Amino acid sequence: MSLRRDILENPALDVSPKNTVSMKVNPYENARRQFNKAADLMELDQDIRKILSMTNNEIIVHFPVKMDDGRVEMFTGYRVQHNNILGPYKGGLRYHPSIKIDEVKALATWMTWKAAIVRIPFGGAKGGIQIDPARYSPAELERITRRFTYALGNNIGPEYDIPAPDVNTNSQIMAWLLDTYLTTVSPNERQRCIHVVTGKPLEAGGSVGRDKATGQGIVFMIEKWAKEHHFSLNEATCILQGFGKVGSWAARVLKEYGVKLISVEDDTGAIYSYTGIDPDILACYVTSHGGVAGYPDAAAIDHITFLSTEADIFIPAAMENQITLETAPLLNVQLVAEGANGPTDAQGDRILEEKGIEIIPDVLCNAGGVVVSYFEWLQNKRSEFWDLSKVDAKLQQILIQAYEAVQLKVEEYKTDWRTAAYIVALSRLEKVYKERGIFP
Ligand code: NAD
């Protein structure tokens, strides 16, 4: 493991995750900067640029919920719909205490680009509730979810806006959302509305492969990158931030390729093992202990040591703004495969480029989740059940095509991968707007 002593010995520079929150760039500013860079380079039509630089709808709801002890608490929920020229709005729901409207706007915008890059007929949306779910009982979380769904009303719908899981939400929460939504439609409509949400439990209409889809997609992208670079994944090393739905599955799928997971960080701490951490065993430990802290077969390390760990691949799979002016200089890897949305800000991008670290950007790298959500939506509409080999094969085909489309733009525009991915998305959106025109 190699450490940056200069930074370790500079007490003025605190890059702990807690501190980076105060230094972090507004995620929507980050999203806008990325958009403007690509729009300038490709000379995006000025009128279409105006449309895409704004969100279509920003819904904020305040709603009361009765707690287990009889008190009533007020909650704030969001749903931002960025654009639906390519299809119904689509995007996850996040439960997090620090969620704000600008974060949701950024996440919704990134969803529009992501769907366009992988060529699925969805637009971009995102939502969530400002809440720390760990503070509430399962019964309270159920009532909060149901009341939020009710408050959203017709702002969501199977052909209009389709939520899915994101940070701190899961298939159980999607099942409560589904059930609540269905009670608001007439009984004879219910069966043909179950595609109002994706990421459902299998029995409630979910798709096989949706739980691992984002992680699986990240691995397909890393595998493609490795092939292009004649790089062997067997015995390659990886560090991972976030061991939730995305991160844990990425690590478990990478294990099948012989990749050695040497360090993992989550919101409880960071761990390191030179000989490697078995992600399947770690997943069992995290389920019973609530986080990676205290995992017996690895050493506890701090945040700076985690970021400085020498490895081949870094997968950020937690929150936004983790690779920044302060933290990017610490990284000691060849590839950053972005599992999280918006983990790298503009300064972080610049420093990684200077250091020669390659990036597979979020809008391409983590698109596996929305692609398999699309498969779930299609299966529900057609009353079909696909098997895992079909889901994985179709996912791989779509992601490889997207990777190659972005690669072509990297070469054509001599630009970085993030900007090239944006150019793929914006070119497709521009074409549709030009074909359809602007009403009236
Ligand atoms: P999750 O709630 O299942 O897991 C989040 C993980 O991040 C947890 O391990 C948590 O401990 C960790 N974490 C939170 N704050 C942290 C901090 N400050 N430092 C270190 N670790 C921290 O969420 P998820 O669904 O795995 O989503 C993770 C990221 O991937 C998010 O950016 C999300 O938007 C993105 N994403 C998710 C999906 C999906 O299908 N769930 C799809 C595409 C992108």
Side-chain angles (χ1 to χ4, degrees):
M1 179 178 12
S2 89
L3 301 178
R4 285 284 308 272
R5 291 280 161 217
D6 52 336
I7 291 169
L8 281 174
E9 284 161 11
N10 179 358
L13 194 59
D14 178 359
V15 293
S16 64
K18 211 167 110 236
N19 195 49
T20 52
V21 171
S22 61
M23 296 188 289
K24 82 179 188 183
V25 177
N26 177 329
Y28 192 54
E29 279 309 309
N30 193 26
R32 285 176 73 97
R33 217 175 279 149
Q34 294 166 347
F35 168 75
N36 284 331
K37 183 175 176 190
D40 286 345
L41 186 60
M42 68 180 283
E43 296 176 1
L44 179 66
D45 178 281
Q46 285 302 324
D47 291 330
I48 294 162
R49 184 174 178 146
K50 281 180 218 159
I51 297 168
L52 293 174
S53 66
M54 295 185 79
T55 60
N56 284 0
N57 305 305
E58 295 168 19
I59 301 141
I60 303 181
V61 290
H62 304 288
F63 56 95
V65 178
K66 205 179 266 183
M67 299 292 102
D68 290 345
D69 63 5
R71 278 178 311 113
V72 167
E73 264 189 46
M74 287 301 292
F75 294 87
T76 300
Y78 303 96
R79 188 71 182 168
V80 173
Q81 296 162 335
H82 172 255
N83 188 279
N84 63 347
I85 188 93
L86 295 179
Y89 298 112
K90 184 86 190 80
L93 289 180
R94 175 175 291 195
Y95 288 3
H96 200 276
S98 67
I99 196 170
K100 296 207 174 60
I101 189 72
D102 273 1
E103 180 180 344
V104 187
K105 282 166 71 174
L107 291 162
T109 307
W110 286 321
M111 286 305 296
T112 302
W113 313 148
K114 206 179 292 184
I117 290 165
V118 291
R119 272 191 184 279
I120 54 173
F122 281 145
K126 205 83 177 190
I129 308 178
Q130 203 178 73
I131 172 187
D132 178 1
R135 287 188 45 227
Y136 298 92
S137 72
E140 287 171 336
L141 276 180
E142 178 176 351
R143 289 197 293 278
I144 292 165
T145 301
R146 287 184 181 279
R147 188 63 202 244
F148 176 48
T149 308
Y150 186 77
L152 286 176
N154 284 339
N155 289 302
I156 58 170
E159 305 294 334
Y160 180 62
D161 183 350
I162 305 124
D166 192 73
V167 173
N168 290 335
T169 56
N170 55 25
S171 56
Q172 174 62 76
I173 288 173
M174 300 307 116
W176 290 329
L177 189 156
L178 169 72
D179 188 67
T180 309
Y181 180 84
L182 292 185
T183 60
T184 68
V185 299
S186 71
N188 63 3
E189 297 278 306
R190 284 180 191 154
Q191 192 47 39
R192 56 178 199 86
C193 286
I194 61 167
H195 53 302
V196 66
V197 60
T198 59
K200 301 182 286 290
L202 278 186
E203 304 72 18
S207 173
V208 289
R210 176 60 186 88
D211 50 359
K212 70 168 179 128
T214 310
Q216 177 71 67
I218 293 167
V219 177
F220 284 145
M221 294 291 83
I222 293 174
E223 185 190 19
K224 174 74 174 162
W225 176 90
K227 264 192 201 135
E228 299 285 326
H229 290 74
H230 308 291
F231 176 89
S232 168
L233 286 178
N234 192 25
E235 289 294 306
T237 51
C238 176
I239 64 171
L240 171 66
Q241 185 187 51
F243 201 76
K245 298 182 293 298
V246 174
S248 65
W249 274 112
R252 291 165 77 177
V253 180
L254 273 180
K255 181 178 145 183
E256 294 163 19
Y257 291 72
V259 173
K260 195 160 77 166
L261 181 66
I262 55 170
S263 192
V264 183
E265 182 184 59
D266 71 2
D267 63 351
T268 65
I271 55 173
Y272 173 83
S273 168
Y274 175 73
T275 53
I277 297 162
D278 187 317
D280 290 301
I281 299 174
L282 182 63
C284 294
Y285 178 86
V286 168
T287 304
S288 55
H289 292 78
V292 303
Y295 182 66
D297 293 330
I301 55 171
D302 63 25
H303 182 55
I304 296 177
T305 311
F306 166 76
L307 289 173
S308 314
T309 303
E310 184 178 352
D312 296 307
I313 303 161
F314 174 33
I315 305 177
M319 303 298 286
E320 301 88 61
N321 287 323
Q322 296 300 313
I323 304 173
T324 62
L325 179 66
E326 291 79 20
T327 58
L330 296 165
L331 293 186
N332 201 350
V333 295
Q334 294 188 52
L335 173 69
V336 172
E338 294 185 333
N341 286 306
T344 312
D345 72 10
Q347 302 272 41
D349 269 337
R350 180 181 55 74
I351 293 165
L352 294 189
E353 193 171 347
E354 283 166 13
K355 287 171 67 113
I357 297 176
E358 299 200 14
I359 301 183
I360 308 177
D362 50 5
V363 284
L364 172 66
C365 195
N366 71 30
V370 74
V371 171
V372 179
S373 274
Y374 169 56
F375 297 163
E376 180 177 331
W377 185 78
L378 275 184
Q379 289 171 76
N380 292 162
K381 276 166 78 93
R382 300 170 177 172
S383 297
E384 287 180 0
F385 284 102
W386 300 359
D387 61 27
L388 187 59
S389 57
K390 178 169 176 176
V391 169
D392 280 351
K394 287 176 84 75
L395 172 64
Q396 184 173 25
Q397 187 191 12
I398 286 176
L399 290 181
I400 296 299
Q401 276 171 3
Y403 186 103
E404 288 171 352
V406 175
Q407 195 169 27
L408 281 179
K409 295 293 176 197
V410 169
E411 286 155 16
E412 185 183 337
Y413 286 89
K414 310 227 170 325
T415 189
D416 59 273
W417 275 72
R418 191 183 313 285
T419 306
Y422 270 58
I423 291 175
V424 170
L426 297 178
S427 307
R428 288 178 181 163
L429 287 152
E430 181 179 46
K431 199 152 185 270
V432 178
Y433 269 109
K434 283 195 168 157
E435 284 161 0
R436 283 176 56 170
I438 307 294
F439 174 83

